[in-house]
Amino acid sequence: MSFVSEFKAFAMKGNVVDLAVGVIIGAAFGKIVDSVVADLIMPIVGAIFGGLDFSQFFIVLKDIPPGVPETLADLKKAGVPVFAWGSFLTIALNFVILAFIIFIMVKQINRLKREEAAAPAAAPAEPAEEVVLLRQIRDSLSK
């Protein structure tokens, strides 16, 4: 088997394709969760704590060059090392929300699978023709 055909066989397996689709959907879903946290949840949390923007909480680890504004983006752009704990808090919250949503989805999928498996198979209305013939032969032999 050539390298190309072996790779094609590997890439076309169902698990690999399913994984690729999952990664793509996961990346898009991650952007949605980022937006939910950054645009909906963190402003509410910030309002509760007095209008604070957690993504702008940081500790400067070196002297700030003159003329550089003291915002996280400008400090990073100037190459000043910062300990951006507020940004980390926001990303950690993203992860917790994403993990919780995935947990709920997997739990519901597993519940649906259990319900499908629990449904009994319907009994056939009439026995197959072979069964009927075998019963007739059995009854004839027992007489």
Side-chain angles (χ1 to χ4, degrees), residues 12-38:
M12 290 301 146
K13 284 185 179 177
N15 294 342
V16 174
V17 175
D18 291 344
L19 178 63
V21 170
V23 167
I24 292 168
I25 290 174
F29 191 68
K31 289 180 183 180
I32 292 170
V33 171
D34 286 342
S35 176
V36 166
V37 171

PDB file of all heavy atoms in Angstrom, residues 12-38:
ATOM      1  N   MET A  12      -9.992   9.351   5.705  1.00  0.00           N
ATOM      2  CA  MET A  12     -11.399   9.173   5.380  1.00  0.00           C
ATOM      3  C   MET A  12     -12.141   8.284   6.382  1.00  0.00           C
ATOM      4  O   MET A  12     -13.312   8.024   6.207  1.00  0.00           O
ATOM      5  CB  MET A  12     -11.551   8.593   3.969  1.00  0.00           C
ATOM      6  CG  MET A  12     -11.188   9.566   2.899  1.00  0.00           C
ATOM      7  SD  MET A  12     -12.238  11.018   3.051  1.00  0.00           S
ATOM      8  CE  MET A  12     -11.156  12.292   2.559  1.00  0.00           C
ATOM      9  N   LYS A  13     -11.447   7.820   7.418  1.00  0.00           N
ATOM     10  CA  LYS A  13     -12.138   7.052   8.447  1.00  0.00           C
ATOM     11  C   LYS A  13     -13.145   7.955   9.129  1.00  0.00           C
ATOM     12  O   LYS A  13     -12.944   9.153   9.268  1.00  0.00           O
ATOM     13  CB  LYS A  13     -11.146   6.516   9.485  1.00  0.00           C
ATOM     14  CG  LYS A  13     -10.352   5.340   9.004  1.00  0.00           C
ATOM     15  CD  LYS A  13      -9.496   4.803  10.125  1.00  0.00           C
ATOM     16  CE  LYS A  13      -8.710   3.611   9.644  1.00  0.00           C
ATOM     17  NZ  LYS A  13      -7.819   3.094  10.669  1.00  0.00           N
ATOM     18  N   GLY A  14     -14.215   7.374   9.580  1.00  0.00           N
ATOM     19  CA  GLY A  14     -15.282   8.149  10.205  1.00  0.00           C
ATOM     20  C   GLY A  14     -14.829   8.925  11.416  1.00  0.00           C
ATOM     21  O   GLY A  14     -15.216  10.075  11.611  1.00  0.00           O
ATOM     22  N   ASN A  15     -13.973   8.348  12.244  1.00  0.00           N
ATOM     23  CA  ASN A  15     -13.545   9.030  13.463  1.00  0.00           C
ATOM     24  C   ASN A  15     -12.745  10.285  13.156  1.00  0.00           C
ATOM     25  O   ASN A  15     -12.884  11.291  13.843  1.00  0.00           O
ATOM     26  CB  ASN A  15     -12.715   8.091  14.337  1.00  0.00           C
ATOM     27  CG  ASN A  15     -13.531   6.946  14.878  1.00  0.00           C
ATOM     28  OD1 ASN A  15     -14.754   7.005  14.897  1.00  0.00           O
ATOM     29  ND2 ASN A  15     -12.863   5.906  15.312  1.00  0.00           N
ATOM     30  N   VAL A  16     -11.906  10.244  12.157  1.00  0.00           N
ATOM     31  CA  VAL A  16     -11.079  11.406  11.816  1.00  0.00           C
ATOM     32  C   VAL A  16     -11.961  12.530  11.285  1.00  0.00           C
ATOM     33  O   VAL A  16     -11.799  13.686  11.670  1.00  0.00           O
ATOM     34  CB  VAL A  16      -9.990  11.023  10.782  1.00  0.00           C
ATOM     35  CG1 VAL A  16      -9.224  12.242  10.324  1.00  0.00           C
ATOM     36  CG2 VAL A  16      -9.056   9.978  11.369  1.00  0.00           C
ATOM     37  N   VAL A  17     -12.894  12.203  10.426  1.00  0.00           N
ATOM     38  CA  VAL A  17     -13.800  13.212   9.877  1.00  0.00           C
ATOM     39  C   VAL A  17     -14.666  13.791  11.000  1.00  0.00           C
ATOM     40  O   VAL A  17     -14.856  15.004  11.087  1.00  0.00           O
ATOM     41  CB  VAL A  17     -14.657  12.612   8.749  1.00  0.00           C
ATOM     42  CG1 VAL A  17     -15.680  13.611   8.263  1.00  0.00           C
ATOM     43  CG2 VAL A  17     -13.764  12.162   7.594  1.00  0.00           C
ATOM     44  N   ASP A  18     -15.175  12.933  11.885  1.00  0.00           N
ATOM     45  CA  ASP A  18     -15.977  13.410  13.010  1.00  0.00           C
ATOM     46  C   ASP A  18     -15.164  14.343  13.903  1.00  0.00           C
ATOM     47  O   ASP A  18     -15.666  15.362  14.370  1.00  0.00           O
ATOM     48  CB  ASP A  18     -16.501  12.236  13.845  1.00  0.00           C
ATOM     49  CG  ASP A  18     -17.536  11.413  13.105  1.00  0.00           C
ATOM     50  OD1 ASP A  18     -18.067  11.900  12.086  1.00  0.00           O
ATOM     51  OD2 ASP A  18     -17.810  10.278  13.546  1.00  0.00           O
ATOM     52  N   LEU A  19     -13.915  13.987  14.142  1.00  0.00           N
ATOM     53  CA  LEU A  19     -13.048  14.825  14.963  1.00  0.00           C
ATOM     54  C   LEU A  19     -12.830  16.177  14.303  1.00  0.00           C
ATOM     55  O   LEU A  19     -12.877  17.217  14.971  1.00  0.00           O
ATOM     56  CB  LEU A  19     -11.709  14.126  15.212  1.00  0.00           C
ATOM     57  CG  LEU A  19     -10.694  14.919  16.019  1.00  0.00           C
ATOM     58  CD1 LEU A  19     -11.218  15.191  17.423  1.00  0.00           C
ATOM     59  CD2 LEU A  19      -9.377  14.178  16.079  1.00  0.00           C
ATOM     60  N   ALA A  20     -12.594  16.180  13.002  1.00  0.00           N
ATOM     61  CA  ALA A  20     -12.382  17.447  12.289  1.00  0.00           C
ATOM     62  C   ALA A  20     -13.620  18.339  12.380  1.00  0.00           C
ATOM     63  O   ALA A  20     -13.510  19.543  12.645  1.00  0.00           O
ATOM     64  CB  ALA A  20     -12.021  17.170  10.831  1.00  0.00           C
ATOM     65  N   VAL A  21     -14.782  17.750  12.190  1.00  0.00           N
ATOM     66  CA  VAL A  21     -16.029  18.524  12.297  1.00  0.00           C
ATOM     67  C   VAL A  21     -16.186  19.050  13.721  1.00  0.00           C
ATOM     68  O   VAL A  21     -16.549  20.213  13.936  1.00  0.00           O
ATOM     69  CB  VAL A  21     -17.243  17.658  11.885  1.00  0.00           C
ATOM     70  CG1 VAL A  21     -18.551  18.346  12.230  1.00  0.00           C
ATOM     71  CG2 VAL A  21     -17.174  17.354  10.397  1.00  0.00           C
ATOM     72  N   GLY A  22     -15.871  18.231  14.714  1.00  0.00           N
ATOM     73  CA  GLY A  22     -15.975  18.652  16.107  1.00  0.00           C
ATOM     74  C   GLY A  22     -15.047  19.807  16.440  1.00  0.00           C
ATOM     75  O   GLY A  22     -15.418  20.732  17.160  1.00  0.00           O
ATOM     76  N   VAL A  23     -13.835  19.753  15.910  1.00  0.00           N
ATOM     77  CA  VAL A  23     -12.871  20.831  16.165  1.00  0.00           C
ATOM     78  C   VAL A  23     -13.350  22.132  15.539  1.00  0.00           C
ATOM     79  O   VAL A  23     -13.284  23.198  16.161  1.00  0.00           O
ATOM     80  CB  VAL A  23     -11.469  20.440  15.644  1.00  0.00           C
ATOM     81  CG1 VAL A  23     -10.534  21.637  15.616  1.00  0.00           C
ATOM     82  CG2 VAL A  23     -10.888  19.330  16.496  1.00  0.00           C
ATOM     83  N   ILE A  24     -13.855  22.059  14.326  1.00  0.00           N
ATOM     84  CA  ILE A  24     -14.332  23.266  13.645  1.00  0.00           C
ATOM     85  C   ILE A  24     -15.531  23.859  14.376  1.00  0.00           C
ATOM     86  O   ILE A  24     -15.587  25.064  14.639  1.00  0.00           O
ATOM     87  CB  ILE A  24     -14.677  22.954  12.175  1.00  0.00           C
ATOM     88  CG1 ILE A  24     -13.391  22.632  11.410  1.00  0.00           C
ATOM     89  CG2 ILE A  24     -15.406  24.121  11.527  1.00  0.00           C
ATOM     90  CD1 ILE A  24     -13.613  22.032  10.039  1.00  0.00           C
ATOM     91  N   ILE A  25     -16.486  23.017  14.747  1.00  0.00           N
ATOM     92  CA  ILE A  25     -17.653  23.510  15.471  1.00  0.00           C
ATOM     93  C   ILE A  25     -17.236  24.020  16.846  1.00  0.00           C
ATOM     94  O   ILE A  25     -17.740  25.038  17.326  1.00  0.00           O
ATOM     95  CB  ILE A  25     -18.724  22.403  15.580  1.00  0.00           C
ATOM     96  CG1 ILE A  25     -19.330  22.157  14.203  1.00  0.00           C
ATOM     97  CG2 ILE A  25     -19.808  22.777  16.583  1.00  0.00           C
ATOM     98  CD1 ILE A  25     -20.289  21.003  14.146  1.00  0.00           C
ATOM     99  N   GLY A  26     -16.291  23.323  17.486  1.00  0.00           N
ATOM    100  CA  GLY A  26     -15.807  23.769  18.791  1.00  0.00           C
ATOM    101  C   GLY A  26     -15.146  25.131  18.728  1.00  0.00           C
ATOM    102  O   GLY A  26     -15.316  25.954  19.628  1.00  0.00           O
ATOM    103  N   ALA A  27     -14.385  25.383  17.684  1.00  0.00           N
ATOM    104  CA  ALA A  27     -13.739  26.692  17.539  1.00  0.00           C
ATOM    105  C   ALA A  27     -14.785  27.796  17.380  1.00  0.00           C
ATOM    106  O   ALA A  27     -14.685  28.859  18.001  1.00  0.00           O
ATOM    107  CB  ALA A  27     -12.790  26.682  16.348  1.00  0.00           C
ATOM    108  N   ALA A  28     -15.798  27.533  16.567  1.00  0.00           N
ATOM    109  CA  ALA A  28     -16.860  28.523  16.380  1.00  0.00           C
ATOM    110  C   ALA A  28     -17.644  28.707  17.684  1.00  0.00           C
ATOM    111  O   ALA A  28     -17.985  29.840  18.062  1.00  0.00           O
ATOM    112  CB  ALA A  28     -17.794  28.087  15.257  1.00  0.00           C
ATOM    113  N   PHE A  29     -17.912  27.610  18.383  1.00  0.00           N
ATOM    114  CA  PHE A  29     -18.646  27.681  19.645  1.00  0.00           C
ATOM    115  C   PHE A  29     -17.819  28.421  20.694  1.00  0.00           C
ATOM    116  O   PHE A  29     -18.368  29.165  21.508  1.00  0.00           O
ATOM    117  CB  PHE A  29     -18.987  26.266  20.114  1.00  0.00           C
ATOM    118  CG  PHE A  29     -19.954  26.219  21.243  1.00  0.00           C
ATOM    119  CD1 PHE A  29     -21.261  26.608  21.068  1.00  0.00           C
ATOM    120  CD2 PHE A  29     -19.548  25.779  22.490  1.00  0.00           C
ATOM    121  CE1 PHE A  29     -22.158  26.571  22.108  1.00  0.00           C
ATOM    122  CE2 PHE A  29     -20.438  25.730  23.542  1.00  0.00           C
ATOM    123  CZ  PHE A  29     -21.747  26.126  23.355  1.00  0.00           C
ATOM    124  N   GLY A  30     -16.509  28.243  20.657  1.00  0.00           N
ATOM    125  CA  GLY A  30     -15.630  28.960  21.574  1.00  0.00           C
ATOM    126  C   GLY A  30     -15.721  30.468  21.380  1.00  0.00           C
ATOM    127  O   GLY A  30     -15.689  31.234  22.349  1.00  0.00           O
ATOM    128  N   LYS A  31     -15.845  30.913  20.136  1.00  0.00           N
ATOM    129  CA  LYS A  31     -15.986  32.343  19.870  1.00  0.00           C
ATOM    130  C   LYS A  31     -17.302  32.870  20.431  1.00  0.00           C
ATOM    131  O   LYS A  31     -17.365  33.989  20.940  1.00  0.00           O
ATOM    132  CB  LYS A  31     -15.903  32.614  18.368  1.00  0.00           C
ATOM    133  CG  LYS A  31     -14.517  32.417  17.811  1.00  0.00           C
ATOM    134  CD  LYS A  31     -14.483  32.689  16.324  1.00  0.00           C
ATOM    135  CE  LYS A  31     -13.089  32.419  15.772  1.00  0.00           C
ATOM    136  NZ  LYS A  31     -13.022  32.666  14.332  1.00  0.00           N
ATOM    137  N   ILE A  32     -18.352  32.053  20.333  1.00  0.00           N
ATOM    138  CA  ILE A  32     -19.645  32.460  20.891  1.00  0.00           C
ATOM    139  C   ILE A  32     -19.536  32.603  22.403  1.00  0.00           C
ATOM    140  O   ILE A  32     -20.006  33.580  22.986  1.00  0.00           O
ATOM    141  CB  ILE A  32     -20.741  31.443  20.508  1.00  0.00           C
ATOM    142  CG1 ILE A  32     -21.009  31.502  19.006  1.00  0.00           C
ATOM    143  CG2 ILE A  32     -22.027  31.698  21.285  1.00  0.00           C
ATOM    144  CD1 ILE A  32     -21.895  30.393  18.492  1.00  0.00           C
ATOM    145  N   VAL A  33     -18.897  31.635  23.050  1.00  0.00           N
ATOM    146  CA  VAL A  33     -18.742  31.701  24.507  1.00  0.00           C
ATOM    147  C   VAL A  33     -17.875  32.894  24.890  1.00  0.00           C
ATOM    148  O   VAL A  33     -18.164  33.594  25.865  1.00  0.00           O
ATOM    149  CB  VAL A  33     -18.167  30.382  25.051  1.00  0.00           C
ATOM    150  CG1 VAL A  33     -17.808  30.509  26.520  1.00  0.00           C
ATOM    151  CG2 VAL A  33     -19.160  29.255  24.858  1.00  0.00           C
ATOM    152  N   ASP A  34     -16.810  33.156  24.130  1.00  0.00           N
ATOM    153  CA  ASP A  34     -15.982  34.344  24.396  1.00  0.00           C
ATOM    154  C   ASP A  34     -16.827  35.611  24.360  1.00  0.00           C
ATOM    155  O   ASP A  34     -16.698  36.483  25.223  1.00  0.00           O
ATOM    156  CB  ASP A  34     -14.852  34.465  23.369  1.00  0.00           C
ATOM    157  CG  ASP A  34     -13.748  33.458  23.582  1.00  0.00           C
ATOM    158  OD1 ASP A  34     -13.664  32.887  24.683  1.00  0.00           O
ATOM    159  OD2 ASP A  34     -12.962  33.249  22.633  1.00  0.00           O
ATOM    160  N   SER A  35     -17.690  35.701  23.367  1.00  0.00           N
ATOM    161  CA  SER A  35     -18.546  36.872  23.247  1.00  0.00           C
ATOM    162  C   SER A  35     -19.539  36.949  24.404  1.00  0.00           C
ATOM    163  O   SER A  35     -19.772  38.036  24.944  1.00  0.00           O
ATOM    164  CB  SER A  35     -19.299  36.849  21.915  1.00  0.00           C
ATOM    165  OG  SER A  35     -20.194  37.941  21.845  1.00  0.00           O
ATOM    166  N   VAL A  36     -20.114  35.828  24.789  1.00  0.00           N
ATOM    167  CA  VAL A  36     -21.065  35.826  25.906  1.00  0.00           C
ATOM    168  C   VAL A  36     -20.376  36.316  27.175  1.00  0.00           C
ATOM    169  O   VAL A  36     -20.908  37.152  27.911  1.00  0.00           O
ATOM    170  CB  VAL A  36     -21.681  34.419  26.111  1.00  0.00           C
ATOM    171  CG1 VAL A  36     -22.398  34.321  27.443  1.00  0.00           C
ATOM    172  CG2 VAL A  36     -22.624  34.078  24.981  1.00  0.00           C
ATOM    173  N   VAL A  37     -19.176  35.817  27.428  1.00  0.00           N
ATOM    174  CA  VAL A  37     -18.463  36.216  28.643  1.00  0.00           C
ATOM    175  C   VAL A  37     -18.038  37.678  28.558  1.00  0.00           C
ATOM    176  O   VAL A  37     -18.286  38.459  29.477  1.00  0.00           O
ATOM    177  CB  VAL A  37     -17.251  35.296  28.888  1.00  0.00           C
ATOM    178  CG1 VAL A  37     -16.381  35.841  30.007  1.00  0.00           C
ATOM    179  CG2 VAL A  37     -17.711  33.899  29.229  1.00  0.00           C
ATOM    180  N   ALA A  38     -17.394  38.057  27.459  1.00  0.00           N
ATOM    181  CA  ALA A  38     -16.852  39.415  27.343  1.00  0.00           C
ATOM    182  C   ALA A  38     -17.939  40.473  27.204  1.00  0.00           C
ATOM    183  O   ALA A  38     -17.808  41.571  27.766  1.00  0.00           O
ATOM    184  CB  ALA A  38     -15.897  39.497  26.156  1.00  0.00           C
TER     185      ALA A  38
END
